[in-house]
Amino acid sequence: MAHKEIIKFGGMEIHFCLDAQDTKNSLTMFKCVISAGAKIAAPHYHEHFDETVYGLKGIATYTVDGKTIELGSGDSLFIPRGAVHGFANKTNETIEFLCFANPGIFGPDYFKDIAEVINAGGPPDMAKLKQVMSNHGLVPVAG
């Protein structure tokens, strides 16, 4: 199946593959393409869904509940709801990974809303970013 849409912001691309309508709300699936030096979301946790990540290309550095995990091609990581986590691209290459959120309540609207704030130009409005996160069930945690 072709990608439904690609959402671009801050050196990141989100390629939505499956949304809630495709899976009867059981999961959503999207590919993240992260450029070297991209600005990444603040550490956060999800209130209402779990996330599973599968490495496709390069090495993503995840931090989950204070533990650092290097996620390479073919590696997988389960992040339960409530676990504080974040990720970074600490390499000089573009990295890619698939994300699965279940149940399928986390969709492209979150990334569209984030892109609107990031792509507005100038330094991002941190209050607006935190509000978007909260609106979509992500709870930012001071890092």
Side-chain angles (χ1 to χ4, degrees):
M1 173 184 281
H3 294 299
K4 291 179 172 279
E5 61 187 309
I6 299 173
I7 305 160
K8 298 180 181 184
F9 56 93
M12 295 178 65
E13 291 181 6
I14 308 299
H15 299 241
F16 250 84
C17 304
L18 295 171
D19 60 27
Q21 294 163 339
D22 298 319
T23 67
K24 296 185 177 160
N25 298 327
S26 66
L27 65 84
T28 58
M29 181 176 85
F30 50 95
K31 179 173 77 170
C32 295
V33 179
I34 315 294
S35 300
K39 301 297 182 203
I40 307 298
H44 62 279
Y45 65 89
H46 310 141
E47 290 184 301
H48 305 294
F49 62 92
D50 300 318
E51 183 175 14
T52 303
V53 186
Y54 179 80
L56 297 173
K57 176 182 170 186
I59 297 174
T61 302
Y62 269 81
T63 304
V64 180
D65 283 338
K67 181 180 175 190
T68 301
I69 299 159
E70 300 281 312
L71 185 82
S73 178
D75 294 340
S76 57
L77 174 63
F78 176 72
I79 304 167
R81 64 195 80 190
V84 175
H85 64 284
F87 62 88
N89 180 356
K90 296 184 177 181
T91 73
N92 293 319
E93 301 174 353
T94 298
I95 61 173
E96 297 181 9
F97 50 88
L98 276 178
C99 293
F100 303 84
N102 71 315
I105 58 174
F106 185 67
D109 289 346
Y110 166 74
F111 296 106
K112 289 178 185 174
D113 292 351
I114 286 287
E116 188 175 316
V117 176
I118 298 286
N119 295 337
D125 183 326
M126 297 311 288
K128 281 186 182 176
L129 289 177
K130 287 180 179 177
Q131 186 61 51
V132 168
M133 291 176 79
S134 295
N135 290 348
H136 291 275
L138 281 72
V139 180
V141 176

